[in-house]
Amino acid sequence: PLLQLTQVANTSLPPVSLLSHTSLTQFTHRSQIGLTPVSHRSLVSKDKDVIRFLTPSTAAASTATNTGDASTTTTPCCPLQQHALNCVICVTRDSLPRTQQVLSAVPLSLSLSILKQKNENSTLLGGVLYEMLNSVLEDRGYDYTKRVLGEPLKKFPVPPLLSTLFDYFKECCKVAEGEALHSLINAIVKCTDSRVLNEELLNQDMITYMITLVVNGKLSYQHAQQISIAISKSWARARIDGQTSLKFVKQVTTITDPRLLSGEENHQMLALRAINILLQGSFEAGGDLIKDNSEIYRILSKLLISKTYESQLTAAETVALVASDKKMCYNLASQNFNLLKALYKSDEVDDTVKLRALVGMSKMVASSGGDVTRNIIADGAGLRIFKQIRTLLIKSTTDEARKWVIEALAYLTIDAEVKHELAQDEEQMKIICDFSSDPAPSTSYSLSCIFMNMTNSYDKPDIAPEMVKIAQYAKQNVPQDHEKDGEESVKERIELMVQHGVPSVLAACSSADSERTREFVARSFMAFVSNNEGVHCGAVVQLGGTRALLNLFQENTKEGKVFAANAIAKIAIKMNPALAFSGQRALDACRPCISLIESTNENTFQVFDGLMALTNLASVSDSVRERIIREGGCHHIDFQMLEDNEVLRRAATQAICNLSLSDKFRERYTPAEESEDPVDRLKAVFVFCGDEDYLTRIAALGAVAYLSADAKICKSLIKIGSFEEVVKETICFEDAGVRHRLLVILQNMMASDKAVAEFIINTPIFECLLALMQVATPEGPMKEVLNNCMAAAKHWGLIEQNPGDIVYTK
């Protein structure tokens, strides 16, 4: 049995004939589910005969021995060898020592001989490479974003074996072809969540080596796209400075320039394909390579009119990618727009080429940025291209084609007419939403752009009317919005998007790695929950919006975090937070709302939303109130309560009222040991009990009513200089809600301590209480509170009951 192969430290291998097909399968299965003893030395540590199972001739011979059929020696894909490779994958998994043993025991020539078979077994070497990389890289799975504030970024050393594995990869790529080569590159790409690997891919010129494979024509179009993912993740996660980027661009230029200048169409096509991969991975680096190279523009025009499918496809794709840059788009539009138009109208051109041509045209049309006065293409061209793309979207069935359509729509939706048509097109919206159930990184970005454009949630310049008049007088361009970008049109579009289930698409896109994508998703969510006074908050919550927004706040751009936090606050205001943020999510929603009310935020609307959201969250449970206190929310609420803005003061006081239910919060208002002097924050809250604003007064009275449950706080209240004045003024207030809250405060104070009760009785406040006893409704709540006040005074022996009257004691 092959299970014994992991236990051969002191024994010899059994004859090959005893290693049955079933035993190999059982060992592989047990290794995959973790049943193989990891303490034993590797199967390759002592007996080199194990390598025979990986050798094509030996594996085939063993199969012939098992079956008794000599003809099986010529089988293209040997099952025994396949299981042996699977065993090596399992043995190297999560073990650096076993990975070292495999590298030292299995010669490179053996791997190359397996690759030359060009069958299913050759593709398994990619799995072997992946498991070895995974075992070597220490920082795989480490979250660099979650570190203690103030501590330096954790640095992981570069594994010594990494260079060996890179050399192994290069040697295998020289022999591998087709799917085997694709599996090797995929092994590198799957490990790019490691920052160490991302940095070393650039430092050891592995990215440029993979680009060389493309330029030499070793990779097909589909397989070459994997390299763009590696470039994208390296640029996003490695610490790339300007000097490193410039060095990399120069290296790529030395690879592509000879091909571009060769004059041969095929060589130029392969060089453009490599540039396309660079543009998809890092548009910044790809743009640096193109912007100063006028030869590329000439080659693009040449290949666009070529009769070869590959040349047309690559050139059209290059134009579609380069047109994302506004400056380069003007040059492309002047030279290639008519060529792209001719490609689309031609009956001899494949649909894949037409699609890329339409994407390039879409970006050229959208280069004006929605300003109708800066269109470089005739007005109405965007709507015409949109209708043509709609036909291709409905007709196409492949994900690749739909990906390009969605990218085109990301630019076309800058046009107000296109937004309006797309929102009303139920069939097209359904296809887009269905396609985005598990979006790829590039698709997530395009989808987020589409929905941000349709909701008009992008930043708009705030131009003063005086500056507009000056610009008009100087005959300068003044941006003008389209009539279908008005407020009513946006409301109508958002209503239709909610009906199409767009919030669920945004929730799917919220897990994208790109921070820019996450920012656009947060902007779109904010537009949904703000539209029409928050009428769509329920739909957003139902379609997974709250969980997505909480994740968006954790990892996002600075602006994206603000939009995500504001959207969370809107939901907490418009809905019952106990339902909108069920379970643990109510606790997680506290931090985003607190971030809105920080003193550095100058946006009054966001501060108000944050205060209102915290007020509602504080009503959920004591654990939520404690989380707000622990996150430092009380300090920011106190600051906002002292603002000049009346609305902010009111909202902050209401938040304090709800937080006063917490015993921990009341400790902040309790005087220090052996002192009865009131703390400043208690004075501030009590002063607001006499505020002119009715809602502020109600909230302050409610807060003091909760706080007065503490006997120490009651003793502090009577030492406030304005205590008697505020109470007398408030007790004469005709509103029942105000009067009832004040009576509860006095009830708690008189019941807390004899000295406090005596102080109240020796002031005109007690006379007011006696007067209220005469006018209060016999069965009303105030009558009950007044009776409690009198009962407390009797308890302390301060008053006694005479027949028909209440008199003072001595």
Side-chain angles (χ1 to χ4, degrees):
L2 194 58
L3 181 59
Q4 296 176 0
L5 292 179
T6 59
Q7 305 167 352
V8 295
N10 300 311
T11 60
S12 299
L13 277 174
V16 172
S17 59
L18 297 180
L19 293 168
S20 67
H21 210 255
T22 305
S23 300
L24 283 159
T25 307
Q26 289 175 349
F27 174 77
T28 305
H29 174 67
R30 290 173 64 85
S31 301
Q32 289 171 343
I33 63 176
L35 295 179
T36 303
V38 295
S39 60
H40 295 155
R41 276 174 283 182
S42 170
L43 69 157
V44 296
S45 60
K46 284 290 183 182
D47 201 317
K48 300 298 182 181
D49 288 341
V50 179
I51 302 172
R52 290 162 41 191
F53 294 106
L54 300 177
T55 307
S57 58
T58 306
S62 64
T63 306
T65 303
N66 291 333
T67 60
D69 185 1
S71 63
T72 56
T73 58
T74 60
T75 303
C77 183
C78 174
L80 186 57
Q81 184 191 60
Q82 183 178 15
H83 286 299
L85 283 167
N86 282 325
C87 291
V88 174
I89 291 174
C90 296
V91 163
T92 55
R93 181 172 296 154
D94 299 327
S95 174
L96 180 59
R98 293 201 296 269
T99 297
Q100 292 172 326
Q101 291 169 354
V102 168
L103 282 173
S104 61
V106 181
L108 177 63
S109 58
L110 181 56
S111 297
L112 299 181
S113 65
I114 294 174
L115 288 170
K116 289 177 181 177
Q117 297 178 53
K118 302 178 183 179
N119 55 25
E120 292 181 11
N121 289 352
S122 60
T123 62
L124 291 176
L125 282 177
V128 175
L129 178 61
Y130 168 73
E131 293 297 346
M132 290 193 291
L133 283 170
N134 194 34
S135 300
V136 165
L137 296 166
E138 296 180 27
D139 67 332
R140 286 213 67 194
Y142 177 76
D143 190 350
Y144 285 89
T145 62
K146 295 181 179 178
R147 68 179 194 273
V148 179
L149 189 64
E151 289 188 359
L153 186 68
K154 186 174 181 179
K155 292 185 178 181
F156 290 88
V158 179
L161 277 180
L162 192 58
S163 296
T164 305
L165 291 173
F166 282 167
D167 292 337
Y168 174 81
F169 170 78
K170 290 179 180 179
E171 293 299 324
C172 288
C173 286
K174 293 177 182 178
V175 178
E177 295 179 5
E179 291 297 328
L181 183 57
H182 174 58
S183 68
L184 291 168
I185 293 176
N186 194 45
I188 299 285
V189 173
K190 286 169 68 177
C191 291
T192 48
D193 58 344
S194 162
R195 179 169 287 180
V196 173
L197 179 69
N198 289 325
E199 292 175 350
E200 292 306 305
L201 284 175
L202 291 168
N203 294 338
Q204 300 191 33
D205 301 334
M206 286 297 294
I207 297 291
T208 52
Y209 177 79
M210 288 189 280
I211 290 177
T212 305
L213 295 176
V214 180
V215 172
N216 292 336
K218 288 207 66 174
L219 284 173
S220 65
Y221 172 81
Q222 289 77 14
H223 295 164
Q225 302 304 310
Q226 289 290 97
I227 300 176
S228 67
I229 299 175
I231 297 173
S232 174
K233 293 189 176 181
S234 294
W235 241 256
R237 294 173 178 170
R239 294 179 284 271
I240 304 298
D241 54 23
Q243 186 176 358
T244 305
S245 178
L246 183 62
K247 176 187 173 184
F248 175 73
V249 171
K250 287 182 178 179
Q251 290 175 341
V252 176
T253 303
T254 58
I255 299 171
T256 57
D257 276 1
R259 297 279 182 168
L260 290 172
L261 300 175
S262 66
E264 295 186 23
E265 184 178 309
N266 187 55
H267 288 177
Q268 291 174 335
M269 181 270 295
L270 291 172
L272 284 180
R273 181 177 292 175
I275 293 172
N276 290 350
I277 290 169
L278 184 58
L279 286 167
Q280 292 176 39
S282 170
F283 191 85
E284 178 186 354
D288 290 341
L289 189 147
I290 291 176
K291 65 182 179 183
D292 298 326
N293 194 337
S294 58
E295 184 66 17
I296 291 181
Y297 292 99
R298 186 189 63 80
I299 293 172
L300 285 173
S301 300
K302 170 187 171 183
L303 295 187
L304 284 174
I305 59 176
S306 171
K307 300 298 182 183
T308 309
Y309 166 75
E310 291 286 344
S311 299
Q312 288 180 340
L313 179 69
T314 305
E317 185 169 318
T318 305
V319 172
L321 293 170
V322 174
S324 299
D325 184 88
K326 193 172 183 178
K327 292 181 179 178
M328 290 189 284
C329 184
Y330 283 105
N331 294 331
L332 288 170
S334 60
Q335 298 179 28
N336 298 309
F337 185 82
N338 291 330
L339 295 178
L340 294 175
K341 190 175 180 180
L343 274 180
Y344 174 75
K345 290 185 176 180
S346 174
D347 296 331
E348 300 176 359
V349 177
D350 191 84
D351 281 351
T352 55
V353 178
K354 289 183 178 181
L355 188 55
R356 285 157 179 77
L358 283 172
V359 173
M361 294 165 67
S362 302
K363 294 181 179 181
M364 293 174 189
V365 169
S367 60
S368 62
D371 181 5
V372 296
T373 62
R374 297 183 67 90
N375 286 339
I376 61 175
I377 309 297
D379 190 25
L383 191 57
R384 291 194 295 272
I385 294 174
F386 168 73
K387 291 178 180 179
Q388 294 165 352
I389 283 182
R390 181 187 186 280
T391 304
L392 287 177
L393 176 63
I394 295 173
K395 186 171 67 172
S396 62
T397 56
T398 63
D399 289 347
E400 178 70 16
R402 290 183 174 180
K403 185 195 80 171
W404 282 99
V405 170
I406 289 174
E407 182 173 353
L409 290 174
Y411 287 85
L412 284 175
T413 47
I414 294 176
D415 189 312
E417 292 182 345
V418 174
K419 300 178 198 178
H420 190 71
E421 289 290 331
L422 180 59
Q424 294 183 333
D425 192 336
E426 185 176 352
E427 184 178 6
Q428 194 168 358
M429 287 296 295
K430 185 178 184 303
I431 294 174
I432 293 173
C433 293
D434 291 345
F435 175 67
S436 59
S437 56
D438 186 19
S442 58
T443 308
S444 296
Y445 179 78
S446 299
L447 286 168
S448 64
C449 287
I450 291 172
F451 300 135
M452 182 183 68
N453 291 336
M454 293 180 71
T455 56
N456 280 26
S457 52
Y458 45 79
D459 287 331
K460 294 181 180 179
D462 188 11
I463 305 174
E466 296 82 2
M467 297 301 296
V468 174
K469 291 181 180 179
I470 292 173
Q472 290 173 344
Y473 179 77
K475 297 183 179 179
Q476 296 295 317
N477 176 65
V478 179
Q480 297 178 10
D481 290 334
H482 196 279
E483 58 181 5
K484 290 186 179 178
D485 264 341
E487 186 176 344
E488 291 301 320
S489 298
V490 174
K491 286 183 178 180
E492 182 184 350
R493 285 202 296 268
I494 291 178
E495 185 74 34
L496 292 171
M497 291 168 71
V498 171
Q499 294 176 12
H500 296 318
V502 170
S504 63
V505 181
L506 291 173
C509 296
S510 65
S511 57
D513 290 334
S514 168
E515 286 192 340
R516 198 67 174 162
T517 301
R518 297 168 72 85
E519 178 189 333
F520 292 169
V521 171
R523 286 174 178 270
S524 301
F525 268 127
M526 180 59 189
F528 279 112
V529 299
S530 303
N531 182 61
N532 203 9
E533 299 183 356
V535 71
H536 302 304
C537 286
V540 170
V541 172
Q542 184 181 3
L543 295 172
T546 50
R547 181 175 62 181
L549 284 167
L550 291 171
N551 292 334
L552 288 170
F553 178 78
Q554 296 298 326
E555 297 180 21
N556 215 320
T557 62
K558 184 179 178 181
E559 294 80 5
K561 287 184 176 182
V562 173
F563 281 107
N566 206 352
I568 291 170
K570 291 282 187 184
I571 292 173
I573 294 169
K574 297 297 180 182
M575 295 185 64
N576 183 352
L579 299 177
F581 303 96
S582 57
Q584 181 73 18
R585 290 177 191 167
L587 302 176
D588 297 335
C590 296
R591 178 65 248 170
C593 296
I594 292 171
S595 68
L596 292 176
I597 66 171
E598 293 177 354
S599 58
T600 54
N601 192 352
E602 298 180 356
N603 190 316
T604 306
F605 295 104
Q606 291 176 358
V607 174
F608 177 73
D609 287 343
L611 290 169
M612 292 295 292
L614 288 172
T615 302
N616 290 353
L617 286 168
S619 67
V620 174
S621 65
D622 205 50
S623 59
V624 176
R625 290 188 282 272
E626 290 183 5
R627 173 64 69 89
I628 294 173
I629 299 168
R630 192 162 58 249
E631 293 284 355
C634 297
H635 169 72
H636 298 296
I637 294 172
D638 290 342
F639 177 84
Q640 298 299 338
M641 192 177 67
L642 301 177
E643 279 287 326
D644 294 335
N645 191 310
E646 182 180 307
V647 176
L648 295 185
R649 282 203 312 270
R650 179 198 306 156
T653 309
Q654 289 171 342
I656 288 175
C657 178
N658 283 0
L659 286 169
S660 299
L661 290 165
S662 169
D663 294 335
K664 204 167 199 177
F665 182 80
R666 286 199 287 270
E667 293 175 3
R668 303 176 72 249
Y669 294 83
T670 305
E673 291 291 336
E674 301 179 358
S675 173
E676 295 180 358
D677 295 332
V679 296
D680 290 340
R681 57 175 60 96
L682 180 61
K683 294 179 183 178
V685 175
F686 187 78
V687 166
F688 283 124
C689 291
D691 197 87
E692 294 181 357
D693 181 64
Y694 171 76
L695 294 176
T696 304
R697 174 178 285 189
I698 283 284
L701 286 167
V704 176
Y706 287 128
L707 293 173
S708 60
D710 189 304
K712 286 187 176 182
I713 294 177
C714 292
K715 292 180 180 180
S716 299
L717 284 172
I718 61 175
K719 294 185 178 294
I720 297 175
S722 58
F723 174 78
E724 184 178 341
E725 180 184 349
V726 171
V727 172
K728 285 192 298 183
E729 179 187 351
T730 308
I731 206 169
C732 296
F733 204 79
E734 292 297 330
D735 184 80
V738 172
R739 186 175 287 173
H740 181 257
R741 285 167 174 78
L742 178 63
L743 290 177
V744 171
I745 295 172
L746 295 175
Q747 166 195 281
N748 293 342
M749 293 179 68
M750 295 181 70
S752 64
D753 186 80
K754 180 178 180 180
V756 175
E758 188 173 6
F759 174 85
I760 293 173
I761 286 178
N762 292 329
T763 63
I765 297 174
F766 187 68
E767 295 179 6
C768 296
L769 294 177
L770 292 175
L772 287 175
M773 285 286 291
Q774 304 299 322
V775 299
T777 306
E779 302 299 330
M782 280 192 288
K783 185 70 173 181
E784 181 182 353
V785 176
L786 286 167
N787 289 333
N788 292 338
C789 292
M790 299 306 163
K794 291 177 187 177
H795 172 74
W796 300 118
L798 300 175
I799 62 173
E800 62 182 17
Q801 184 75 42
N802 279 344
D805 198 5
I806 297 175
V807 299
Y808 292 97
T809 60
K810 294 179 181 179

